[in-house]
Amino acid sequence: MVISRLRGQRRLPEYTFAGEHDLRLPHIAIRELDLDSSYLARFDVDALLDGEFLLINNRREVDLETWSVPEASHLWNFNLHYFEWGVALAARWRETGDERYLGCFKRLVSSWIGSCSYSEGDAWHPYTISLRLVNWLVAIDLFNGEIQNDAEIFVIIRESMYRQYRHLLANQETHLRANHWWENLKTLAIMSAAFGEHGVHVKVMHLLTGQLDEQILPDGVHFERSLMYHKLVLEGMLRVYVASDQLGFELPSNFMPKAKSMLDAMASLERGMGKTPFFNDAADGVAKECGPLAASCARLLDMDVDDSKTEFPNAGYYKLYNGDLAVMFDAGEAGPSYMLGHAHCDCLSFELSCKSEPVIVNSGTCAYQSELRSFFRSTAAHNTCVVDGEEQLECWGEHRVGWGYRLLDVAFDGSSLRASVCLPSGKTLSRSVELVGRLLRVVDESGDEMRLESHIHFPRSVAASVEVASECELTTGIGKYSRQLSCLETCCETVVAGRGVVAYTVDVDKEVAS
């Protein structure tokens, strides 16, 4: 990891790419994922015809001579180079047969290849390469042979793909590891087989096997404890499976068991929630949805989903149910100790839904590069308790963490849960939650002199109605960043405060009725 960080990005000599490279194109489009209407609705396909890109809910015109929008965020520019919007172009062509969409894809790919010189800028970042190469393969598949039929454009694309693949091979993100290295290895596994480089493929599959064991916890949850990244990794596994079937390579022995455990964990944790749970870096509209992913696993892997699991002790997630009420609770570590870039101060936090409609939600992830980043990672942005103003994690910059909390104990019996943590200062906090009929009861406890502030966040459509113990203070109002919050726009924040002990009860029927 240290050597990878110190070395920096390597630019390969031109002889590395010399010669013609035979490419066996695998058919890796997955109809449940790539033709899903809710997924395709993220992109304004017609605007692409005029060089305008709608990415992560932000619309920009792009100078195709530079393929960069300096005034946009770094993440937006990354999304530009992912070429995920190219899949939407291909899907629209497939639906309508309109040649404009095929022509637009060819024009934009040609422009990218001609304008994004090797190996400069975001275009050649290992992560953007990892996503772009797979998205190119998916789009080419959806165009149903039209790209290959244009010999001139196909030769250009094939040689660019080989250059990108070899650069990625030499610049794997072993300093970051986690989901970044997973995306590198997933793409290298597919591309090394597609280009027939057997020696490379064997080495990559060995690394991928190890990362499946490291990154997928025994309870099936991805070790970064983000359901958004969990779903992205599961999608990547499906792409590798389809490529293995198309290109004839063997999958590691742990592949199918890990896929099944991830499927069951995803379905169980999202059951009754109605959205992606917002723990750690997570938002809706980024990863494919639970339903299409489960349908893909059923068709491709012949896996029946088990969504009945309620206890995930390795990840620290627990589910409570009572009729149509569902609660997801976090009583686990923030993530792998060497990679906490996606961690939030959300321990002992929970989300609650009724009839799959969110009632209490965490604030989510607004942006990675923003002055709001520190707030969205903070303890107060989650449905947990702040002790004497102390943060659970020392969050540095956009993706760094210093000291953090330690989990002390967890007791779970299926209908109630109690957990305790030790904060960086040594102060302790215990929380118990219980579903009793239509009531959610929460009790927070710390030292007698500790100032406790329990935060509760409601979606805009839900009015806050919380009953508190007589010795507690109750404050309800619009959150500080209510209009910048993620897709649910949690804007009504209730704070229950007191000394030593804070207790409150939410009547879910009142919440939903209001």
Side-chain angles (χ1 to χ4, degrees):
M1 294 172 66
V2 174
I3 293 174
S4 176
R5 167 64 77 179
L6 293 175
R7 183 187 66 198
Q9 186 156 290
R10 294 174 57 193
R11 177 186 171 92
L12 301 180
E14 283 301 312
Y15 66 77
T16 307
F17 315 115
E20 293 188 7
H21 309 286
D22 183 41
L23 173 63
R24 291 177 57 200
L25 285 171
H27 300 287
I28 65 168
I30 300 173
R31 61 175 182 262
E32 294 89 348
L33 304 180
D34 303 314
L35 299 179
D36 177 61
S37 58
S38 62
Y39 160 66
L40 295 172
R42 303 174 188 177
F43 308 96
D44 187 342
V45 177
D46 289 324
L48 289 169
L49 301 175
D50 298 319
E52 186 175 85
F53 294 75
L54 175 63
L55 304 172
I56 52 176
N57 299 314
N58 194 336
R59 190 182 299 271
R60 301 277 184 173
E61 290 187 3
V62 175
D63 180 354
L64 298 182
E65 291 187 0
T66 64
W67 278 84
S68 175
V69 182
E71 62 272 20
S73 71
H74 196 190
L75 182 61
W76 194 96
N77 280 279
F78 259 41
N79 274 262
L80 175 66
H81 291 287
Y82 293 163
F83 264 78
E84 192 175 9
W85 44 266
V87 175
L89 275 172
R92 180 65 63 83
W93 173 86
R94 193 180 183 93
E95 175 189 4
T96 65
D98 191 329
E99 294 297 310
R100 293 182 302 159
Y101 302 114
L102 173 60
C104 182
F105 181 82
K106 290 180 180 180
R107 182 174 68 255
L108 291 175
V109 170
S110 297
S111 170
W112 185 92
I113 294 172
S115 300
C116 297
S117 301
Y118 179 67
S119 57
E120 299 173 0
D122 292 340
W124 291 93
H125 190 285
Y127 192 75
T128 66
I129 294 174
S130 298
L131 273 61
R132 180 172 55 251
L133 284 175
V134 171
N135 285 328
W136 279 14
L137 289 176
V138 172
I140 290 170
D141 190 6
L142 291 177
F143 277 123
N144 199 28
E146 292 296 321
I147 301 298
Q148 300 92 305
N149 290 339
D150 186 335
E152 183 178 355
I153 186 66
F154 183 62
V155 167
I156 295 172
I157 291 175
R158 183 185 65 200
E159 295 310 305
S160 176
M161 292 181 80
Y162 187 78
R163 182 179 289 262
Q164 294 177 57
Y165 150 64
R166 294 296 300 192
H167 181 77
L168 175 60
L169 180 63
N171 290 280
Q172 298 172 51
E173 295 174 273
T174 53
H175 59 292
L176 289 177
R177 302 175 73 89
N179 75 293
H180 274 242
W181 198 21
W182 160 259
E183 294 293 346
N184 300 164
L185 293 172
K186 168 208 73 179
T187 299
L188 290 171
I190 296 171
M191 298 308 300
S192 60
F195 279 114
E197 298 196 345
H198 179 71
V200 172
H201 182 76
V202 170
K203 294 177 181 177
V204 168
M205 292 303 291
H206 176 73
L207 293 171
L208 188 141
T209 302
Q211 285 305 294
L212 285 173
D213 280 334
E214 181 176 342
Q215 296 200 25
I216 312 307
L217 298 171
D219 58 22
V221 180
H222 187 256
F223 74 162
E224 291 193 74
R225 279 83 163 173
S226 158
L227 265 292
M228 181 182 79
Y229 283 104
H230 180 106
K231 290 189 286 188
L232 289 170
V233 170
L234 181 57
E235 178 189 348
M237 293 182 72
L238 289 170
R239 303 291 184 193
V240 172
Y241 175 84
V242 174
S244 74
D245 185 58
Q246 294 285 323
L247 299 172
F249 62 84
E250 290 187 9
L251 295 169
S253 60
N254 64 350
F255 188 93
M256 297 298 277
K258 289 295 185 181
K260 181 64 165 76
S261 67
M262 288 195 80
L263 169 64
D264 292 345
M266 172 191 69
S268 296
L269 289 171
E270 292 208 10
R271 175 185 160 205
M273 304 307 293
K275 67 173 189 68
T276 303
F278 289 168
F279 293 89
N280 289 322
D281 275 336
D284 277 317
V286 177
K288 304 297 195 302
E289 298 299 331
C290 179
L293 282 166
S296 300
C297 289
R299 179 175 65 86
L300 296 171
L301 309 182
D302 194 27
M303 288 181 178
D304 294 327
V305 63
D306 178 1
D307 66 358
S308 66
K309 300 179 185 299
T310 59
E311 189 172 2
F312 299 86
N314 306 110
Y317 287 135
Y318 300 85
K319 292 293 292 289
L320 303 174
Y321 295 99
N322 196 331
D324 53 18
L325 302 184
V327 176
M328 179 173 168
F329 190 90
D330 179 4
E333 302 297 338
S337 60
Y338 64 82
M339 187 6 184
L340 292 172
H342 294 300
H344 285 208
C345 299
D346 58 13
C347 193
L348 308 189
S349 181
F350 65 92
E351 292 198 354
L352 182 149
S353 293
C354 178
K355 300 178 181 178
S356 296
E357 291 293 328
V359 175
I360 298 176
V361 295
N362 290 310
S363 296
T365 302
C366 176
Y368 286 160
Q369 295 85 30
S370 167
E371 62 182 10
L372 301 177
R373 174 69 171 159
S374 60
F375 166 75
F376 281 92
R377 297 180 78 190
S378 72
T379 310
H382 302 86
N383 302 306
T384 187
C385 185
V386 179
V387 180
D388 272 353
E390 183 177 359
E391 295 289 355
Q392 295 180 355
L393 303 171
E394 293 182 352
C395 295
W396 302 338
E398 297 167 355
H399 292 92
R400 296 289 182 269
V401 171
W403 293 106
Y405 67 86
R406 289 186 295 108
L407 192 66
L408 298 178
D409 59 75
V410 180
F412 175 68
D413 65 7
S415 61
S416 65
L417 187 145
R418 180 179 176 85
S420 302
V421 297
C422 180
L423 299 174
S425 66
K427 300 169 186 173
T428 60
L429 171 67
S430 296
R431 164 168 281 193
S432 62
V433 295
E434 183 180 18
L435 270 176
V436 181
R438 310 298 290 175
L439 302 177
L440 175 70
R441 293 175 177 167
V442 180
V443 179
D444 294 323
E445 301 175 80
S446 188
D448 291 342
E449 298 304 314
M450 302 300 175
R451 169 75 174 180
L452 305 183
E453 294 183 353
S454 294
H455 293 254
I456 318 163
H457 301 83
F458 297 87
R460 179 169 297 178
S461 58
V462 177
S465 177
V466 179
E467 297 293 331
V468 303
S470 58
E471 66 274 15
C472 297
E473 309 162 19
L474 176 66
T475 304
T476 300
I478 301 297
K480 181 178 180 182
Y481 297 112
S482 61
R483 286 167 181 79
Q484 287 81 29
L485 295 178
S486 52
C487 58
L488 282 176
E489 293 189 323
T490 59
C491 68
C492 188
E493 181 184 32
T494 294
V495 179
V496 183
R499 294 275 177 189
V501 178
V502 164
Y504 65 88
T505 301
V506 178
D507 186 327
V508 178
D509 283 330
K510 289 182 180 180
E511 296 299 322
V512 174
S514 59

